[in-house]
Amino acid sequence: AAEAVPLRWTVLKEDSGDEVASGEGLATQERDWTFKVVVDGLDSGTAFTYQFHATGDASASPVGAFKTLPAAGVHVDQLRYGIFSCSNWGWGYFNAYDAASRLGLDFAVHLGDYYYEYGSGHYPSVEEAVRWEGLEPRTELLTLADYRKRHALTRRDSSLQRLTSRTALIA
């Protein structure tokens, strides 16, 4: 097994750049090289940025952004959110994610089918498909390893990366 990667994470207030939370942890192969952070005590109705750094070298994630909800009972004049559903690799490119990433959304919600378990040529059919290149795995998803590969493929989409680096995605 590969060695765990030690990480440091930071959360900054977007307007001032003041650090409001930070910590350390490990990304491990057993968790697909992911690391989850739950940050409590952030100010309501505030914009923040975050970033992960691999300790021991200069590697860093792109800077991401999110906003916390207003405090309970506070009147909100406007709420900007995006709703997404049915993201199937074979039907095309995720241009809507890219467009939404430029709208200054408060958050985005994905209501269903973040990705599909079908193999290539099933849904859509070969004739209907816009793209199959890169589909991983090419067969129907049956195992945890299959689902992890398809999830990783979906997360590599540059439009989805732009959206999720600029607003919280509730899925």
Side-chain angles (χ1 to χ4, degrees):
E3 291 186 36
V5 177
L7 300 173
R8 174 170 162 65
W9 57 269
T10 55
V11 176
L12 310 175
K13 278 194 173 181
E14 188 174 64
D15 60 356
S16 67
D18 293 339
E19 184 176 301
V20 296
S22 64
E24 296 181 352
L26 295 174
T28 63
Q29 185 175 16
E30 293 78 25
R31 293 189 52 90
D32 296 323
W33 305 109
T34 61
F35 180 71
K36 181 179 179 178
V37 176
V38 176
V39 181
D40 294 317
L42 297 175
D43 293 340
S44 299
T46 304
F48 296 92
T49 63
Y50 63 93
Q51 190 170 34
F52 296 89
H53 299 268
T55 55
D57 67 27
S59 298
S61 70
V63 174
F66 68 96
K67 300 174 190 174
T68 52
L69 296 172
V74 171
H75 175 74
V76 176
D77 290 326
Q78 176 178 299
L79 186 63
R80 296 177 60 93
Y81 58 93
I83 297 176
F84 302 93
S85 185
C86 304
S87 301
N88 188 321
W89 187 264
W91 282 112
Y93 298 90
F94 303 139
N95 300 323
Y97 294 150
D98 186 56
S101 74
R102 295 187 296 273
L103 296 177
L105 300 176
D106 292 301
F107 60 89
V109 178
H110 205 291
L111 298 175
D113 295 329
Y114 191 61
Y115 51 83
Y116 286 78
E117 53 278 321
Y118 304 118
S120 62
H122 180 73
Y123 180 74
S125 70
V126 173
E127 297 78 26
E128 297 170 316
V130 173
R131 69 171 171 178
W132 281 123
E133 73 279 354
L135 185 68
E136 294 177 34
R138 296 195 62 76
T139 59
E140 179 182 4
L141 308 184
L142 299 173
T143 68
L144 179 58
D146 291 344
Y147 279 92
R148 286 176 169 170
K149 286 178 184 174
R150 186 70 53 87
H151 183 78
L153 169 69
T154 301
R155 293 296 306 160
R156 283 195 304 266
D157 181 80
S158 60
S159 294
L160 178 58
Q161 288 178 8
R162 259 187 302 286
L163 176 65
T164 58
S165 73
R166 295 179 181 161
T167 192
L169 175 63
I170 303 164

